Amino acid sequence: RGRKRLTVMILKGAPRWITPMALPIASNARASPEIAAAAAAVPAAVMSAPVYATADAGTPAQGGDYADADTVSTATATGIAGGAGQDTIDNSATLTARTESYASSLGVNVDVSLSKESYLPIPGAAVADTKVFADAASTGIDGGSGNDTIANSASLSATSYAEGDATTIGATVKGSLEGLSMGVTVVDSSSTAHAVSKGIAGGSGGDTITNSGSITSMATAKDDSDSIAVAAAGGKTGMAFGVALADASSNSLAHSYGIDAGGEEAGAGPVAGDIVRNYGTIDVDAISNTSTLSVGVVFSAELEGVVGGVSAAKGDSTAEAVAAGVRTGGGADTVSSEGTGSLSAVAQATST
């Protein structure tokens, strides 16, 4: 009787643009017909131009009083891909592999319930849940599986950038002149950004990798997750009770390697050893930044009667950064840096 109800759900996020500039490229991105035709005409051996992939994703919400959205964005770029088998790769041309991946969502659920009298213990409720994942991976030279021989004597660069942003807002308004007014709001947002860069990746098998040029590897991951829950209940006489629960989690992972020899994990059976020789320069950087905001607010009011409320907010924030000039897997590996060879690895992680 005299009851009004309104539910609003919003999720924002739309594809932007994706532009591969040279082949070979591995990505879930789409290129225009003109760019695809031009790239197809470039011989696979010509690697002086950069390999570039960008992805941006968003997903619409679904449900009635429940807003649920999952957003995934993936970008992958590889300069030279050896694939399976015993490969020999000798690179003497400038090579650049770069990826950017963006994923964001905004979920809003509002429930408004007003009545003259309310004696049934049925609360107004708003529930919203968003999940975001952004992944970017760049590799200059990938030997793939098998016993590969890889040599680089030029300038090689691998750069990846991943950014995730999830925002969830829920609000419940429950009111009646007489009787029971109860509002419940539950919001949950989780976001992850993962960036991986490798100058040279040997893959599985016993590989021989030699670098006499310069290798630069840079991985940056940035992630933000916000959850805001508001519950309001009130009336003239009776009981008013509000519940607001907010949960937010944010994770950023940045992994950067100049040379990743790969190989099976130790203990998995016979493992072929890798040989890595560096006569050039290797500069590696990994930057990981993450932030979380979680807020729960309750308003309860009665002119005459009983009021109460429960508010809880939880935020988890994790940042991980790993940088290595040379990394090897299981097996009896040999690593040497000789002559004028130099290695630099810097990792920075910030969580708020």
Side-chain angles (χ1 to χ4, degrees):
R1 294 180 309 180
R3 181 181 177 90
K4 298 180 180 179
R5 185 180 184 87
L6 173 65
T7 302
V8 179
M9 292 172 294
I10 303 174
L11 180 92
K12 184 168 67 176
R16 270 193 277 178
W17 53 271
I18 300 164
T19 309
M21 297 176 60
L23 284 181
I25 179 171
S27 175
N28 69 337
R30 295 175 296 174
S32 65
E34 294 80 6
I35 293 176
V42 178
V46 178
M47 301 307 302
S48 60
V51 178
Y52 182 30
T54 299
D56 193 348
T59 305
Q62 300 178 357
D65 292 340
Y66 177 61
D68 184 11
D70 294 339
T71 304
V72 178
S73 175
T74 302
T76 304
T78 302
I80 300 176
Q86 185 171 333
D87 306 310
T88 299
I89 302 173
D90 188 356
N91 178 61
S92 59
T94 300
L95 192 155
T96 300
R98 193 176 96 185
T99 55
E100 297 177 5
S101 179
Y102 302 89
S104 63
S105 68
L106 170 63
V108 179
N109 197 349
V110 180
D111 184 272
V112 179
S113 180
L114 304 175
S115 62
K116 182 179 180 181
E117 297 176 353
S118 178
Y119 294 101
L120 294 176
I122 301 177
V127 180
D129 185 6
T130 60
K131 294 181 178 65
V132 167
F133 182 75
D135 183 73
S138 296
T139 304
I141 300 175
D142 185 3
S145 61
N147 301 327
D148 307 313
T149 300
I150 302 173
N152 175 62
S153 58
S155 175
L156 188 156
S157 174
T159 304
S160 61
Y161 180 86
E163 181 176 337
D165 186 2
T167 301
T168 308
I169 301 174
T172 302
V173 178
K174 177 77 171 183
S176 62
L177 292 179
E178 299 179 4
L180 173 65
S181 298
M182 184 174 180
V184 177
T185 303
V186 180
V187 297
D188 185 3
S189 65
S190 62
S191 183
T192 299
H194 186 206
V196 179
S197 293
K198 299 179 181 181
I200 298 177
S204 60
D207 305 310
T208 299
I209 302 173
T210 303
N211 174 56
S212 58
S214 63
I215 297 176
T216 302
S217 179
M218 177 74 177
T220 304
K222 180 181 178 182
D223 193 73
D224 180 71
S225 181
D226 302 325
S227 288
I228 300 175
V230 179
K236 183 178 180 181
T237 60
M239 177 181 291
F241 195 82
V243 177
L245 305 176
D247 190 359
S249 63
S250 179
N251 302 280
S252 61
L253 310 170
H255 297 168
S256 183
Y257 309 103
I259 297 177
D260 183 9
E264 295 79 8
E265 295 296 329
V271 178
D274 301 306
I275 299 174
V276 179
R277 300 187 183 96
N278 177 52
Y279 304 99
T281 60
I282 300 177
D283 293 314
V284 178
D285 292 280
I287 299 175
S288 179
N289 296 315
T290 183
S291 63
T292 301
L293 173 66
S294 185
V295 179
V297 181
V298 172
F299 298 97
S300 298
E302 287 283 348
L303 291 179
E304 298 178 5
V306 179
V307 297
V310 175
S311 175
K314 184 180 75 170
D316 296 322
S317 182
T318 302
E320 178 182 283
V322 177
V326 176
R327 183 178 80 157
T328 61
D333 305 310
T334 301
V335 179
S336 64
S337 185
E338 306 173 15
T340 59
S342 64
L343 297 100
S344 173
V346 179
Q348 177 182 347
T350 304
S351 178
T352 58

